């Protein structure tokens, strides 16, 4: 897949085509592997819980300090701890295996592994996709174009993503993922995610939104849509785009 892209870029530059900023150049970014089979992909999601690179109060007023603290230090820490137990019980070698590899064959493992490998991965990704509030928060023009290609417009992408998040019954996640050279929106129950071989819609997750009540209840109570509206101000599009371009 990677070599296809290299050849494509070689051919386009040999033909003297100006690739920068053209729509074709954006399309060329998508000529990459879909998920899981990219040998050169270096995951930045590790087996252990990593420190946050911002303070618990950094997401005010959209996510309150106490929610951030409990979410990170209790809920997410719990998944990380239970994952460590499952990894030990089920003899996964953390040095030679990535968490993505385990997720991609999660049906071979226990329910405990499914819930906690998913829970840990999803939260580590979630923290990285947050940053302190930005007014008129948007991706780069390039990524906006790509979203518009697959969802008609950036605004329509936001509506479709928010709908997926609102309509997820009970606890779960909404996702923007990359699969078969397209950006796709889906949602998963509990702590499942699109890397899992049991997921209805599989692909490489770029952005995930936690819609468990523990993520928003203190501030928003039953108003999940208001939490989603606030969260758009916090999306770290730089990280999302880096994730996309590295894959
Ligand atoms: Mn959570």
């Amino acid at each position: 897949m990677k070599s296809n892209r290299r050849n494509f870029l070689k051919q386009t530059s040999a033909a003297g085509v100006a690739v920068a900023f053209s729509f074709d150049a954006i399309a060329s970014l998508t000529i990459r592997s879909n998920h899981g089979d990219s040998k050169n992909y270096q995951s930045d999601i590790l087996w252990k819980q990593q420190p946050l690179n911002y303070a618990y109060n950094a997401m005010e007023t959209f996510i309150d300090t106490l929610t951030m603290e409990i979410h990170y230090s209790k809920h997410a820490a719990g998944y990380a701890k239970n994952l460590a137990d499952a990894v030990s019980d089920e003899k996964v070698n953390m040095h030679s295996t990535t968490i993505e590899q385990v997720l991609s064959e999660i049906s071979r493992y226990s329910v405990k592994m499914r819930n906690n490998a998913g829970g840990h991965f999803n939260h580590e990704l979630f923290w990285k996709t947050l940053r302190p509030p930005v007014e008129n928060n948007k991706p780069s023009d390039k990524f906006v174009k790509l979203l518009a290609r697959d969802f008609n417009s950036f605004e329509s992408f936001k509506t479709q993503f928010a709908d997926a998040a609102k309509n997820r019954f009970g606890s779960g996640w909404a996702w923007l993922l990359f699969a078969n050279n397209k950006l796709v929106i889906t949602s998963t129950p509990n702590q499942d995610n699109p890397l899992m071989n049991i997921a209805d819609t599989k692909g490489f997750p770029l952005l995930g939104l936690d819609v468990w009540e523990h993520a928003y209840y203190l501030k928003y109570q039953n108003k999940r849509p208001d939490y989603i509206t606030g969260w758009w101000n916090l999306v770290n599009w730089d990280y999302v785009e880096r994730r996309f371009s590295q894959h």
Side-chain angles (χ1 to χ4, degrees):
M1 300 291 184
K2 294 241 166 192
S3 62
N4 284 349
R5 179 172 171 267
R6 255 181 238 120
N7 289 339
F8 176 85
L9 290 176
K10 226 185 273 170
Q11 283 158 16
T12 48
S13 56
V17 176
V19 286
F21 307 115
S22 73
F23 192 80
D24 285 348
I26 294 163
S28 78
L29 285 176
T30 69
I31 302 176
R32 296 176 181 217
S33 79
N34 41 17
H35 64 95
D37 55 356
S38 176
K39 302 283 186 290
N40 299 323
Y41 174 67
Q42 292 289 315
S43 175
D44 61 355
I45 308 288
L46 307 176
W47 287 101
K48 298 214 164 79
Q49 189 177 40
Q50 302 300 304
L52 295 177
N53 60 13
Y54 40 73
Y56 290 138
N57 66 2
M59 304 304 150
E60 293 277 5
T61 57
F62 301 107
I63 301 178
D64 61 285
T65 303
L66 186 59
T67 294
M68 285 298 291
E69 178 172 358
I70 296 173
H71 198 178
Y72 176 84
S73 69
K74 305 291 184 209
H75 293 280
Y79 296 119
K81 189 200 167 296
N82 291 331
L83 174 60
D85 294 345
V87 156
S88 160
D89 291 347
E90 297 174 49
K91 307 203 175 355
V92 174
N93 184 336
M94 289 191 294
H95 303 291
S96 62
T97 314
T98 65
I99 190 164
E100 284 90 344
Q101 283 169 322
V102 168
L103 292 169
S104 73
E105 43 189 39
I106 200 68
S107 58
R108 290 178 43 198
Y109 295 91
S110 67
V111 172
K112 179 173 180 176
M113 183 74 85
R114 173 175 169 178
N115 289 339
N116 293 289
H120 174 66
F121 179 94
N122 295 349
H123 286 87
E124 287 292 293
L125 178 61
F126 184 61
W127 311 131
K128 287 176 191 293
T129 60
L130 296 181
R131 69 178 165 202
V134 171
E135 248 180 85
N136 302 316
N137 191 20
K138 281 181 90 165
S140 69
D141 290 352
K142 217 153 105 172
F143 203 72
V144 164
K145 275 187 191 165
L146 203 58
L147 289 166
R149 185 196 70 176
D150 292 336
F151 305 106
N152 291 321
S153 68
F154 179 55
E155 286 310 313
S156 157
F157 153 72
K158 283 175 69 177
T159 304
Q160 290 175 55
F161 187 97
D163 286 347
K166 285 177 209 165
N167 296 333
R168 166 47 55 190
F169 183 75
S171 299
W173 292 74
W175 301 100
L176 173 66
L177 55 123
F178 189 58
N180 302 316
N181 290 333
K182 279 192 69 172
L183 295 169
V184 175
I185 291 167
T186 190
S187 76
T188 53
N190 304 315
Q191 294 296 354
D192 288 358
N193 71 42
L195 289 170
M196 292 181 173
N197 59 347
I198 52 172
D200 292 336
T201 304
K202 291 184 255 309
F204 183 74
L206 302 173
L207 175 65
L209 174 57
D210 189 342
V211 295
W212 283 57
E213 285 186 345
H214 69 224
Y216 63 86
Y217 204 84
L218 290 180
K219 181 177 172 68
Y220 295 97
Q221 294 86 46
N222 59 316
K223 299 184 283 289
R224 188 191 283 185
D226 293 355
Y227 158 67
I228 298 165
T229 300
W231 167 80
W232 287 116
N233 296 281
L234 308 174
V235 174
N236 185 345
W237 285 110
D238 292 339
Y239 177 73
V240 172
E241 292 180 46
R242 197 155 67 239
R243 216 172 144 72
F244 173 75
S245 65
Q246 279 170 357
H247 193 59

